[in-house]
PDB file of all heavy atoms in Angstrom:
ATOM      1  N   ASN A  96       1.566  18.102 -21.142  1.00 98.00           N
ATOM      2  CA  ASN A  96       2.680  18.610 -21.951  1.00 98.00           C
ATOM      3  C   ASN A  96       3.928  18.882 -21.120  1.00 98.00           C
ATOM      4  O   ASN A  96       5.047  18.704 -21.605  1.00 98.00           O
ATOM      5  CB  ASN A  96       2.286  19.872 -22.727  1.00 98.00           C
ATOM      6  CG  ASN A  96       3.260  20.164 -23.870  1.00 98.00           C
ATOM      7  OD1 ASN A  96       3.613  19.246 -24.630  1.00 98.00           O
ATOM      8  ND2 ASN A  96       3.731  21.396 -23.975  1.00 98.00           N
ATOM      9  N   LEU A  97       3.752  19.307 -19.874  1.00 98.00           N
ATOM     10  CA  LEU A  97       4.928  19.576 -19.039  1.00 98.00           C
ATOM     11  C   LEU A  97       5.675  18.275 -18.714  1.00 98.00           C
ATOM     12  O   LEU A  97       6.901  18.257 -18.594  1.00 98.00           O
ATOM     13  CB  LEU A  97       4.519  20.296 -17.752  1.00 98.00           C
ATOM     14  CG  LEU A  97       3.894  21.681 -17.946  1.00 98.00           C
ATOM     15  CD1 LEU A  97       3.746  22.388 -16.610  1.00 98.00           C
ATOM     16  CD2 LEU A  97       4.731  22.536 -18.906  1.00 98.00           C
ATOM     17  N   ILE A  98       4.931  17.212 -18.582  1.00 98.00           N
ATOM     18  CA  ILE A  98       5.550  15.901 -18.324  1.00 98.00           C
ATOM     19  C   ILE A  98       6.248  15.405 -19.584  1.00 98.00           C
ATOM     20  O   ILE A  98       7.376  14.926 -19.569  1.00 98.00           O
ATOM     21  CB  ILE A  98       4.462  14.893 -17.871  1.00 98.00           C
ATOM     22  CG1 ILE A  98       3.831  15.381 -16.557  1.00 98.00           C
ATOM     23  CG2 ILE A  98       5.025  13.482 -17.770  1.00 98.00           C
ATOM     24  CD1 ILE A  98       2.615  14.576 -16.111  1.00 98.00           C
ATOM     25  N   TYR A  99       5.531  15.586 -20.691  1.00 97.00           N
ATOM     26  CA  TYR A  99       5.998  15.108 -21.982  1.00 97.00           C
ATOM     27  C   TYR A  99       7.289  15.795 -22.409  1.00 97.00           C
ATOM     28  O   TYR A  99       8.159  15.193 -23.045  1.00 97.00           O
ATOM     29  CB  TYR A  99       4.885  15.370 -22.995  1.00 97.00           C
ATOM     30  CG  TYR A  99       5.134  14.795 -24.348  1.00 97.00           C
ATOM     31  CD1 TYR A  99       5.124  13.409 -24.538  1.00 97.00           C
ATOM     32  CD2 TYR A  99       5.352  15.616 -25.448  1.00 97.00           C
ATOM     33  CE1 TYR A  99       5.353  12.877 -25.794  1.00 97.00           C
ATOM     34  CE2 TYR A  99       5.576  15.087 -26.696  1.00 97.00           C
ATOM     35  CZ  TYR A  99       5.582  13.719 -26.867  1.00 97.00           C
ATOM     36  OH  TYR A  99       5.797  13.195 -28.098  1.00 97.00           O
ATOM     37  N   GLN A 100       7.414  17.062 -22.056  1.00 97.00           N
ATOM     38  CA  GLN A 100       8.589  17.841 -22.475  1.00 97.00           C
ATOM     39  C   GLN A 100       9.768  17.714 -21.531  1.00 97.00           C
ATOM     40  O   GLN A 100      10.856  18.197 -21.843  1.00 97.00           O
ATOM     41  CB  GLN A 100       8.245  19.339 -22.542  1.00 97.00           C
ATOM     42  CG  GLN A 100       7.180  19.698 -23.526  1.00 97.00           C
ATOM     43  CD  GLN A 100       7.507  19.236 -24.936  1.00 97.00           C
ATOM     44  OE1 GLN A 100       8.663  19.205 -25.332  1.00 97.00           O
ATOM     45  NE2 GLN A 100       6.493  18.814 -25.660  1.00 97.00           N
ATOM     46  N   TYR A 101       9.556  17.103 -20.356  1.00 97.00           N
ATOM     47  CA  TYR A 101      10.588  17.167 -19.322  1.00 97.00           C
ATOM     48  C   TYR A 101      11.880  16.492 -19.764  1.00 97.00           C
ATOM     49  O   TYR A 101      11.888  15.385 -20.275  1.00 97.00           O
ATOM     50  CB  TYR A 101      10.086  16.523 -18.022  1.00 97.00           C
ATOM     51  CG  TYR A 101      11.083  16.714 -16.906  1.00 97.00           C
ATOM     52  CD1 TYR A 101      11.242  17.951 -16.282  1.00 97.00           C
ATOM     53  CD2 TYR A 101      11.912  15.663 -16.502  1.00 97.00           C
ATOM     54  CE1 TYR A 101      12.173  18.153 -15.291  1.00 97.00           C
ATOM     55  CE2 TYR A 101      12.852  15.852 -15.507  1.00 97.00           C
ATOM     56  CZ  TYR A 101      12.977  17.105 -14.904  1.00 97.00           C
ATOM     57  OH  TYR A 101      13.920  17.295 -13.917  1.00 97.00           O
ATOM     58  N   GLU A 102      12.986  17.176 -19.560  1.00 93.00           N
ATOM     59  CA  GLU A 102      14.290  16.586 -19.860  1.00 93.00           C
ATOM     60  C   GLU A 102      15.154  16.631 -18.622  1.00 93.00           C
ATOM     61  O   GLU A 102      15.283  17.692 -17.992  1.00 93.00           O
ATOM     62  CB  GLU A 102      14.979  17.379 -20.975  1.00 93.00           C
ATOM     63  CG  GLU A 102      14.750  16.768 -22.333  1.00 93.00           C
ATOM     64  CD  GLU A 102      15.449  17.552 -23.428  1.00 93.00           C
ATOM     65  OE1 GLU A 102      14.958  18.665 -23.728  1.00 93.00           O
ATOM     66  OE2 GLU A 102      16.472  17.066 -23.968  1.00 93.00           O
ATOM     67  N   ASP A 103      15.730  15.537 -18.334  1.00 84.00           N
ATOM     68  CA  ASP A 103      16.592  15.468 -17.150  1.00 84.00           C
ATOM     69  C   ASP A 103      17.929  16.126 -17.471  1.00 84.00           C
ATOM     70  O   ASP A 103      18.512  15.895 -18.515  1.00 84.00           O
ATOM     71  CB  ASP A 103      16.820  13.999 -16.771  1.00 84.00           C
ATOM     72  CG  ASP A 103      17.113  13.886 -15.294  1.00 84.00           C
ATOM     73  OD1 ASP A 103      17.532  14.910 -14.692  1.00 84.00           O
ATOM     74  OD2 ASP A 103      16.912  12.788 -14.754  1.00 84.00           O
ATOM     75  N   ASP A 104      18.419  16.948 -16.552  1.00 71.00           N
ATOM     76  CA  ASP A 104      19.726  17.572 -16.764  1.00 71.00           C
ATOM     77  C   ASP A 104      20.835  16.535 -16.673  1.00 71.00           C
ATOM     78  O   ASP A 104      21.771  16.508 -17.453  1.00 71.00           O
ATOM     79  CB  ASP A 104      19.999  18.647 -15.696  1.00 71.00           C
ATOM     80  CG  ASP A 104      19.002  19.776 -15.799  1.00 71.00           C
ATOM     81  OD1 ASP A 104      18.396  19.925 -16.876  1.00 71.00           O
ATOM     82  OD2 ASP A 104      18.800  20.471 -14.797  1.00 71.00           O
ATOM     83  N   GLU A 105      20.683  15.649 -15.682  1.00 62.00           N
ATOM     84  CA  GLU A 105      21.732  14.626 -15.493  1.00 62.00           C
ATOM     85  C   GLU A 105      21.164  13.284 -15.899  1.00 62.00           C
ATOM     86  O   GLU A 105      20.484  12.634 -15.115  1.00 62.00           O
ATOM     87  CB  GLU A 105      22.146  14.557 -14.021  1.00 62.00           C
ATOM     88  CG  GLU A 105      22.393  15.924 -13.424  1.00 62.00           C
ATOM     89  CD  GLU A 105      21.775  16.039 -12.035  1.00 62.00           C
ATOM     90  OE1 GLU A 105      22.169  15.268 -11.150  1.00 62.00           O
ATOM     91  OE2 GLU A 105      20.859  16.869 -11.858  1.00 62.00           O
ATOM     92  N   PRO A 106      21.430  12.882 -17.109  1.00 56.00           N
ATOM     93  CA  PRO A 106      20.878  11.604 -17.574  1.00 56.00           C
ATOM     94  C   PRO A 106      21.330  10.438 -16.696  1.00 56.00           C
ATOM     95  O   PRO A 106      22.465  10.389 -16.240  1.00 56.00           O
ATOM     96  CB  PRO A 106      21.413  11.465 -18.999  1.00 56.00           C
ATOM     97  CG  PRO A 106      22.391  12.568 -19.210  1.00 56.00           C
ATOM     98  CD  PRO A 106      22.303  13.533 -18.090  1.00 56.00           C
ATOM     99  N   GLN A 107      20.410   9.548 -16.443  1.00 56.00           N
ATOM    100  CA  GLN A 107      20.730   8.353 -15.655  1.00 56.00           C
ATOM    101  C   GLN A 107      20.480   7.130 -16.522  1.00 56.00           C
ATOM    102  O   GLN A 107      19.487   7.058 -17.198  1.00 56.00           O
ATOM    103  CB  GLN A 107      19.825   8.241 -14.436  1.00 56.00           C
ATOM    104  CG  GLN A 107      19.561   9.583 -13.781  1.00 56.00           C
ATOM    105  CD  GLN A 107      18.729   9.411 -12.521  1.00 56.00           C
ATOM    106  OE1 GLN A 107      18.183   8.341 -12.291  1.00 56.00           O
ATOM    107  NE2 GLN A 107      18.665  10.442 -11.705  1.00 56.00           N
TER     108      GLN A 107
END
Side-chain angles (χ1 to χ4, degrees):
Chain A
N96 197 46
L97 297 189
I98 298 172
Y99 187 69
Q100 298 304 327
Y101 186 74
E102 265 181 288
D103 206 339
D104 296 339
E105 313 136 61
Q107 321 184 348

